[in-house]
Amino acid sequence: MANTKIINILGDQSEFLLGHVSKTVDKSLIHAPSPNAIDNVWIDSDRNIPTLNSLQRLFSHGRLANTGYLSILPVDQDIEHTAGASFAPNPIYFDSENIVKLAIESGCSAVASTYGVLGSVARKYAHKIPFVVKINHNELLTYPNTYDQVLFGTIKEAWNMGATAVGATIYFGSEESRRQIVDISKAFEYAHELGMATILWCYLRNSSFKKDGVDYHSAADLSSQANHIGVTIKADIVKQKLPTNNGGFKAINFAKWDERMYTELSSDHPIDLCRYQVINGYMGRVGLINSGGESHGASDLKDAVYTAVVNKRAGGMGLICGRKAFQRPMKEGVELINTIQDVYLDKEITLA
């Protein structure tokens, strides 16, 4: 029986999620997160020793240390969505130090943010919590708005501030995606040379991915293929939105698909949809962390726990939760992140 608090938060969805038995890809085939992930998975790869050290540092920090799971605080919304819109609910986060303090107070595995945020406090904090420097962004001041991820700094700059890892976003499906793939492939290669781990936000962006009133940007088939391209360019960890539907390839009628993707490798259950994302990361060799998403106020805690349970039972590696945490008083943000972490610490919540 899972933690009573988690069951109460899930409410009427508790049995639906905690009692699910997956009949798609068997859990025995998944490289599930474990305390020995470096020895079990990465030791056979071409990652150099400094990069293995960096991965181990991520897995050895915070409340989830040595579990194989990660809890990361991401704050780059000040660039992606404007600082005013992001920090108006809690203006203390205009001060970059409070972003790092929130990650430390909540026992996160790492803090992911911009060159500016992390660089401004690097000498004080880079040795206290792993830094993940987000190297590219979509700036929102171009008018009319355009959507393109562009580099905001260099890999050497991230290394000089003591970063453990670098993070990047690719808008798969966009007109600029091929250039972004080349940019980030080169950046990740250099990051590995210098011994930093790599995390890729494998997001989709194309107006044609919405059809007949259905948004397929979070479809399991489309998002999982984005993940698969991401691991191909040597992301050590992929970040993806939790799938909310499936059948994007069929509905939009592009690319290629096999009906067994929908009937045998997945189902309509959210855990099975997420497992399809996991298997596209080399059966879990490259860990999947799902995003916490935007804040909806009162439902944030339940939404975050729901996502964490789905991710963990599917075979994912953790959650990256930002706005739900920093757009509220720090104490409440810490409590929310700790509750997410409790899902991964609960040994009764296992692979489906």
Side-chain angles (χ1 to χ4, degrees), residues 247-259:
F249 285 136
K250 294 196 294 183
I252 302 165
N253 193 25
F254 83 113
K256 294 183 181 294
W257 69 87
D258 184 310
E259 194 62 32

Side-chain angles (χ1 to χ4, degrees), residues 206 209-219 222 244-246:
N206 189 313
F209 291 169
K210 296 180 181 181
K211 186 172 182 181
D212 300 328
V214 180
D215 188 348
Y216 291 102
H217 281 90
S218 56
L222 296 185
T244 57
N245 55 40
N246 207 353

